[in-house]
Amino acid sequence: MEETSREAVATAVQRVAGMLQRSDQLDKVEQYRRREARKKASVEARLKAAIQSQLDGVRTGLTQLHSALLDVKDIQSSLADVSKDWRQSINTIENLKDVKDAVVQHSQLASAVENLKNIFSVPEIVVETQQLIEQGELLQAHRKLMELECSRDDLMYEQYRMDSKNTSDMHLISIYFEDVQGLSDELAKQLWMVLQRSMVTVRRDPTMLVSVVRIIEREEKIDRRMVDRKKQSGFIPPGRPKRWKDKMFEVLEGTVGTRIEGTQAVTREADKMWLVRLLEITRKYVLDDLIVVQNLMVQCSQCVEMMGHPDLSSECDINQLEPLLPQDVVNELLSKYVKTFTSNITGWLRKALETDKKDWQKESEPEADQDGFYQTTLPAIVFQMFEQNLQVAAQIDGDFKEQVLKLCLKQMHSFLVRYREEAVAYKEEHLKDRQLPQCYVQYMIAIINNCQTFKESISSLKRKYSRSSELSDSDAAIDRTLGEVAKEGCQFLLDEVFLDLEHHLSELLTRKWLTGSHAVDTICVTVEDYFNDFNKIKKPFNQEMTNEAHRRVVVEYIKAVMQKRITFKNADERKEGAERMIKEADQFKFLFKKLAAGEDTERLCGAISAIAEVFKLTDPTLLFLEVTTLVSKYPDIREEHIQALLSVRGDATREMRQMIIGTLSENRVSYTGTTQPVFKDITVPSITMTTMTSMATAKLLK
């Protein structure tokens, strides 16, 4: 410290000596002294400020350390509590085994309750099914058989999941349902009998043969589902897989063999010309059968493949054989085939549509697919027809296959035009008496879903049978028509909803509404109830329908405002009405957010809230700002809308309305359509002369 002081003194002496080297500088000593004094004071002030800053920093640091210490103690205490709670919860965790057992038992009981009706009525259903089999009602018999098997299999599956080693309970279920397997065997016998007589059946009752094929297809689907479940859980119901499709081909193969063998009436010993006779009889029978197959049965593709069967390769080299028919004859036959096919397919499609229309009048709901979506059998029937004919065409050559595919697509478009017309007629007939048919909503949903199935099936056919990936005119026309049918179907369903809402919508923004109407509550409940059925609509139509319902509800609400059903008399009424509108906008937001699986509902419902803010404003001089905010959010709003809002508000003078409208018109930016319009389709009713006269009369009377 002393050395530092000496160095400072020495430095000062040098500076003073430097400043006083000349005699004339002595006059400035006082000036030098003041300057140095100022420098000293400045340095001292800076030192003091620096030290003060350091002290403040240290103080702050100590405070934060103290706070951190308290936080550490709190955390330590919380960790101790957590450790204590964890040790206490060990016994609780061990007791959760009982909860798990209860959950398994509950699952089993739930399955039992679900199938309780079928379980109690098993003997009755068995008798009914047996009678249906005996009466030849195979489709209905198979439906009841599937119900029985489903109840049995669900119970066994739940028992297997709960205790796979409990064979006694599993055996008890098997004994209770032991007649089911007998019914399955009896039904199978009837199916094989129909297939064995298929050549006769197809002439007398082709629907019987179609029913058999449909039953076998159903069983194949169930087989695949059960096999997949076995891979996951290890459980497969008794008797599965049935493999009825394989058995069907065995029966058909045996039938063909028997047909050929039955033509051998004599032997070589009885007649030397036995072979000629046999071949002639065989030729006649085969030709007759092939004609039946070609015109009536789906197996005609087997006839084309006959000459190329591998069993014949050892007898002859087909590459050395000349064509069976000259090319001109082949061309003539193909041309005749196309004409016949065109005529037949038109008739088949018309008949299929008529059958589907009859189903629309049923009192029972349509069938649902594996995902629970309503559907009818129409798409499957139509595309089964196309598939069968395309399989035949594919055996001839690629060009002919393309020709038949184009013909199918052309016929498909004509068919869809008729389908659309029938859907419209179905809706119009329903409007005459909305109580009929009872399942109108469900079948309209099935019509919409069929459009998606048609679209997927067409894409599948093109991928399978077309060599070109380019879209044709028929493709565009089909897509357009399918879109129109689905869109109109959704519109018909929404019209049904809004017909039920019409009375409640008419209550909005009226004196009754202001004094406590429950119209919006009823609207929300009704819409949600309808959408429980609309959940059976496939994507993307279900989402589009939800969005359209949302838009229509909001638009109808705003229309009620624009119709000026009420004029608020004072600030209290404006406040009450605005708060009610905001509350009801929140109800709509909640409803459609739930229906749209969490998608944003703010913009549409926000329009109601934004209008409410115009009504809620207490200071009329600020109306211009509030209206400007509304216009900026919803640029498609027009002058007549603003006039209507100010009229409903009730306290805006004529001069104020003119000022607001005029200023907005001068600064208005044209609507570009980049956002979803809300007010675009909402018209403001004009005051007619009759209305003006009645208003004037009422005023005079008052």
Side-chain angles (χ1 to χ4, degrees):
M1 190 70 180
E2 292 178 357
E3 183 178 356
T4 304
S5 298
R6 285 196 298 273
E7 290 179 356
V9 171
T11 303
V13 170
Q14 288 179 357
R15 289 192 64 191
V16 172
M19 288 187 289
L20 301 176
Q21 289 180 356
R22 299 188 307 276
S23 58
D24 59 338
Q25 291 177 328
L26 293 175
D27 296 336
K28 300 180 180 179
V29 169
E30 186 60 26
Q31 182 180 352
Y32 291 153
R33 188 183 65 76
R34 286 197 300 271
R35 185 176 67 187
E36 293 300 322
R38 285 196 300 272
K39 289 183 178 180
K40 178 182 178 184
S42 175
V43 170
E44 288 177 348
R46 289 200 299 271
L47 286 173
K48 183 177 180 182
I51 291 172
Q52 184 64 39
S53 176
Q54 291 293 329
L55 289 174
D56 290 343
V58 170
R59 187 181 297 110
T60 301
L62 289 174
T63 302
Q64 292 176 345
L65 286 173
H66 180 69
S67 176
L69 179 61
L70 294 177
D71 290 342
V72 169
K73 289 181 179 179
D74 289 342
I75 292 171
Q76 186 178 12
S77 176
S78 298
L79 287 174
D81 292 340
V82 170
S83 177
K84 180 180 178 182
D85 292 341
W86 178 78
R87 285 193 297 271
Q88 291 176 351
S89 64
I90 291 177
N91 294 333
T92 303
I93 294 173
E94 292 177 351
N95 292 333
L96 287 178
K97 183 178 182 301
D98 297 336
V99 177
K100 180 180 178 182
D101 295 340
V103 168
V104 175
Q105 185 178 9
H106 178 271
S107 175
Q108 184 185 21
L109 291 174
S111 177
V113 169
E114 184 178 351
N115 294 282
L116 202 56
K117 180 180 178 181
N118 290 337
I119 292 173
F120 283 130
S121 58
V122 165
E124 179 183 347
I125 297 176
V126 167
V127 173
E128 291 177 1
T129 307
Q130 184 65 45
Q131 291 175 350
L132 289 170
I133 293 174
E134 293 172 356
Q135 295 168 4
E137 300 291 340
L138 302 185
L139 276 178
Q140 297 183 32
H142 185 248
R143 184 175 291 109
K144 291 188 175 294
L145 175 62
M146 287 194 297
E147 292 176 3
L148 291 170
E149 290 180 337
C150 182
S151 300
R152 179 197 64 187
D153 297 346
D154 286 348
L155 290 174
M156 284 188 166
Y157 179 61
E158 292 300 332
Q159 176 61 37
Y160 180 85
R161 283 204 310 165
M162 186 180 73
D163 187 2
S164 60
K165 298 181 180 179
N166 188 348
T167 57
S168 60
D169 287 351
M170 196 73 78
H171 183 62
L172 181 63
I173 297 172
S174 299
I175 292 175
Y176 187 75
F177 286 91
E178 62 182 351
D179 292 336
V180 175
Q181 186 60 44
L183 286 176
S184 178
D185 296 339
E186 183 64 26
L187 179 61
K189 290 179 182 178
Q190 295 296 322
L191 299 183
W192 312 145
M193 191 179 301
V194 172
L195 288 173
Q196 287 170 352
R197 299 183 302 205
S198 56
M199 296 301 295
V200 177
T201 304
V202 77
R203 291 185 178 97
R204 295 179 179 175
D205 187 6
T207 57
M208 178 66 76
L209 194 59
V210 173
S211 299
V212 170
V213 175
R214 287 182 62 185
I215 291 171
I216 293 172
E217 287 178 347
R218 288 177 184 173
E219 289 294 338
E220 280 295 302
K221 290 180 181 178
I222 298 174
D223 275 353
R224 287 194 295 270
R225 190 164 65 248
M226 293 298 106
V227 170
D228 291 340
R229 188 166 72 176
K230 181 183 179 183
K231 294 176 182 177
Q232 298 175 356
S233 63
F235 171 78
I236 190 166
R240 292 288 177 187
K242 294 183 179 180
R243 297 189 178 90
W244 280 5
K245 187 175 181 180
D246 295 340
K247 179 64 176 177
M248 176 186 74
F249 287 122
E250 291 178 9
V251 172
L252 289 174
E253 184 177 356
T255 301
V256 173
T258 303
R259 178 73 165 167
I260 298 298
E261 292 172 0
T263 59
Q264 186 173 350
V266 296
T267 60
R268 180 188 297 272
E269 290 75 13
D271 188 350
K272 295 182 179 180
M273 299 296 292
W274 71 274
L275 182 58
V276 175
R277 293 179 180 274
L278 175 61
L279 291 176
E280 177 61 21
I281 294 173
T282 302
R283 182 197 66 79
K284 184 179 183 304
Y285 282 179
V286 168
L287 182 59
D288 291 343
D289 291 347
L290 289 181
I291 291 173
V292 173
V293 169
Q294 181 184 18
N295 295 323
L296 301 175
M297 295 182 67
V298 301
Q299 292 88 353
C300 61
S301 60
Q302 297 173 358
C303 309
V304 179
E305 297 171 356
M306 183 178 67
M307 293 304 295
H309 197 281
D311 291 346
L312 300 176
S313 59
S314 59
E315 301 295 332
C316 64
D317 184 2
I318 60 174
N319 295 322
Q320 297 179 0
L321 297 177
E322 296 180 358
L324 290 175
L325 296 173
Q327 188 60 41
D328 57 341
V329 176
V330 172
N331 294 337
E332 182 181 353
L333 289 174
L334 292 179
S335 177
K336 185 177 179 181
Y337 173 84
V338 169
K339 291 179 181 179
T340 305
F341 167 69
T342 304
S343 175
N344 289 344
I345 203 71
T346 302
W348 292 338
L349 291 174
R350 184 182 298 109
K351 186 176 180 180
L353 182 54
E354 290 298 324
T355 302
D356 205 54
K357 282 171 53 183
K358 291 179 182 177
D359 290 344
W360 299 353
Q361 305 298 327
K362 288 182 177 179
E363 297 180 358
S364 57
E365 294 182 353
E367 294 182 359
D369 63 11
Q370 64 271 17
D371 297 318
F373 298 118
Y374 287 138
Q375 63 177 6
T376 68
T377 58
L378 182 62
I381 293 173
V382 169
F383 284 95
Q384 189 177 16
M385 297 176 190
F386 290 164
E387 179 81 22
Q388 294 162 6
N389 285 277
L390 284 167
Q391 288 176 357
V392 175
Q395 300 298 322
I396 298 173
D397 62 39
D399 293 337
F400 186 68
K401 177 187 66 176
E402 291 282 348
Q403 182 182 353
V404 172
L405 177 60
K406 290 179 181 178
L407 183 59
C408 288
L409 295 178
K410 182 178 179 182
Q411 291 293 322
M412 184 67 197
H413 178 247
S414 301
F415 167 76
L416 289 176
V417 171
R418 293 195 299 273
Y419 191 52
R420 179 185 179 188
E421 293 170 353
E422 294 297 343
V424 173
Y426 183 50
K427 183 264 299 189
E428 292 175 348
E429 187 66 25
H430 168 71
L431 291 180
K432 295 177 182 177
D433 182 357
R434 293 185 60 216
Q435 302 301 318
L436 297 175
Q438 293 184 9
C439 295
Y440 166 78
V441 170
Q442 290 80 3
Y443 276 98
M444 188 58 73
I445 291 173
I447 291 172
I448 297 169
N449 288 340
N450 284 350
C451 293
Q452 185 66 14
T453 306
F454 278 131
K455 190 172 184 179
E456 293 169 356
S457 300
I458 290 171
S459 298
S460 176
L461 281 182
K462 290 195 65 180
R463 285 195 303 270
K464 189 172 181 181
Y465 294 103
S466 179
R467 294 173 293 185
S468 173
S469 58
E470 296 181 359
L471 293 177
S472 64
D473 294 340
S474 294
D475 296 328
I478 287 173
D479 284 345
R480 183 171 60 253
T481 306
L482 284 173
E484 290 170 352
V485 174
K487 185 176 181 180
E488 288 175 353
C490 292
Q491 197 69 34
F492 296 159
L493 291 176
L494 286 180
D495 290 343
E496 188 77 3
V497 177
F498 281 86
L499 281 173
D500 286 348
L501 298 181
E502 191 172 13
H503 172 70
H504 307 292
L505 290 170
S506 65
E507 287 186 10
L508 298 177
L509 272 293
T510 61
R511 282 287 161 191
K512 181 179 180 181
W513 168 82
L514 188 63
T515 56
S517 167
H518 296 287
V520 170
D521 296 333
T522 307
I523 290 170
C524 291
V525 169
T526 304
V527 170
E528 186 170 9
D529 181 58
Y530 267 104
F531 269 81
N532 288 332
D533 278 336
F534 297 165
N535 286 332
K536 304 294 180 66
I537 300 177
K538 290 183 177 181
K539 293 181 178 180
F541 305 123
N542 55 359
Q543 188 60 50
E544 293 174 0
M545 192 165 182
T546 304
N547 295 338
E548 179 62 17
H550 183 192
R551 190 193 69 82
R552 283 184 65 171
V553 166
V554 172
V555 167
E556 291 296 330
Y557 195 101
I558 298 176
K559 279 183 180 178
V561 178
M562 297 303 168
Q563 289 171 359
K564 295 175 282 191
R565 302 171 181 173
I566 186 174
T567 300
F568 297 121
K569 297 178 180 178
N570 51 48
D572 291 339
E573 280 195 358
R574 284 191 290 274
K575 180 181 178 182
E576 183 181 354
E579 289 176 350
R580 189 172 185 86
M581 290 176 69
I582 292 171
K583 175 188 173 185
E584 291 172 347
D586 290 337
Q587 286 181 260
F588 291 144
K589 286 181 191 177
F590 177 79
L591 170 65
F592 288 104
K593 194 167 187 178
K594 179 167 66 172
L595 296 180
E599 289 194 7
D600 181 38
T601 59
E602 183 63 34
R603 175 166 175 77
L604 282 170
C605 294
I608 300 175
S609 302
I611 292 173
E613 293 298 331
V614 175
F615 295 154
K616 191 176 183 182
L617 188 66
T618 56
D619 187 356
T621 60
L622 298 178
L623 264 177
F624 175 73
L625 294 177
E626 196 64 52
V627 172
T628 303
T629 302
L630 175 64
V631 173
S632 65
K633 289 182 180 178
Y634 301 93
D636 62 319
I637 194 169
R638 301 189 299 275
E639 291 181 7
E640 58 264 31
H641 296 143
I642 299 171
Q643 288 276 21
L645 295 182
L646 296 177
S647 176
V648 173
R649 181 177 165 86
D651 66 340
T653 64
R654 181 178 181 182
E655 291 77 12
M656 184 182 297
R657 283 183 283 181
Q658 290 177 345
M659 183 274 294
I660 292 173
I661 296 297
T663 307
L664 286 174
S665 298
E666 293 173 1
N667 303 312
R668 188 68 175 258
V669 178
S670 61
Y671 175 61
T672 59
T674 55
T675 58
Q676 182 184 17
V678 179
F679 295 85
K680 181 180 178 182
D681 299 325
I682 298 177
T683 58
V684 178
S686 59
I687 300 180
T688 62
M689 185 59 67
T690 304
T691 307
M692 292 175 65
T693 303
S694 62
M695 289 173 62
T697 304
K699 207 168 193 179
L700 289 171
L701 290 173
K702 185 180 289 187

